[in-house]
Amino acid sequence: MIIEALEITKKYGRDTILSAVSLGIEAGQSIAVLGPSGSGKTTLLSLLGLLLEPSGGEIRLYDRTTQGLSDGELSNLRNQHFGFVFQSSQLIGSLTVGENVLVPARLAGKAQEKQKRSIEILEQLGLASRIHHLPHQLSFGQKRRVALARALILEPPLIFADEPTNDLDAAMAHQVTERLLALQHQGVALMVATHDRQLAEKLDRRFLIEQGKLTPISVQRKEEAIGGPLT
Ligand SMILES: Nc1ncnc2c1ncn2[C@@H]1O[C@H](COP(=O)(O)OP(=O)(O)OP(=O)(O)O)[C@@H](O)[C@H]1O
């Protein structure tokens, strides 16, 4: 198990967002988390991604507890083991595309070593001609792909993606989906919060968050959750 939540609860003030949720992800596995807006998908990904602390329960990384670790230790673990493609994980406006992609490598003291790889990833994502551009000079879909490139630079075993195809046109959503699936093919585990039915259907397991509870989606529930019969 790369990361595992054991009976975790998350409260904001009096609101219980997640209640006794358990979920783990193995190397190379892909999981879709579905649920209505505000149900707690981003919260769950943030907890498993060690960006948020649970109010109760435990999160284990490679079978070792993460309880009691300092912010610095958590930050190192995130940088080492996870890539994030989050709506909120904005690019740094004053850095070029190439520099943004290298930020995790710089934090790990590997900027020089990863320089060549950053160019290769940007080429694979069709962004080679944008390497010296600043984020404000990019389209929405291009920014999303730069965030994906940044998530891949240190070749993490697990990528968290929050609505990776949201607000993209069909062709771009297809490209991002194919890229994520290609990563899984290479052995990368994926944990994806999504409303995108086509993406969710292609992942190994699907879960629904509703009223603070996480349940595996059977075929029938999947139809309800992702809007329409399966083909
Ligand atoms: N920092 C916070 N303080 C208080 N409440 C919060 C905080 N962050 C999230 N919430 C609340 O927690 C609930 C779950 O939010 P979350 O962003 O996880 O939902 P979501 O399922 O990802 O929604 P969406 O599909 O709209 O992105 C929401 O009701 C939200 O208002």
Side-chain angles (χ1 to χ4, degrees), residues 1-4 24-28 60-63 81-82 157-158 189:
M1 220 46 111
I2 301 178
I3 193 94
E4 189 175 18
I25 184 159
E26 311 254 9
R60 297 175 74 83
L61 176 70
Y62 293 112
D63 293 328
H81 297 290
F82 306 147
L158 170 58

Side-chain angles (χ1 to χ4, degrees), residues 91-102:
L91 304 173
I92 300 173
S94 57
L95 299 184
T96 64
V97 164
E99 290 164 344
N100 263 288
V101 171
L102 279 169

Side-chain angles (χ1 to χ4, degrees), residues 4 26 29 50 68 73 81 114 127 155 175 206 229-230:
E4 189 175 18
E26 311 254 9
Q29 196 178 54
L50 306 178
E73 287 168 326
H81 297 290
K114 294 290 179 184
L127 289 165
E155 303 176 64
Q175 247 189 54
R206 281 153 292 277
L230 299 169

Side-chain angles (χ1 to χ4, degrees), residues 200-216:
E201 279 179 14
K202 288 181 177 155
L203 304 188
D204 298 335
R205 297 158 75 203
R206 281 153 292 277
F207 291 86
L208 176 67
I209 303 186
E210 238 176 359
Q211 292 169 351
K213 294 284 180 195
L214 186 76
T215 43

Side-chain angles (χ1 to χ4, degrees), residues 24 32 119 147:
I119 296 167

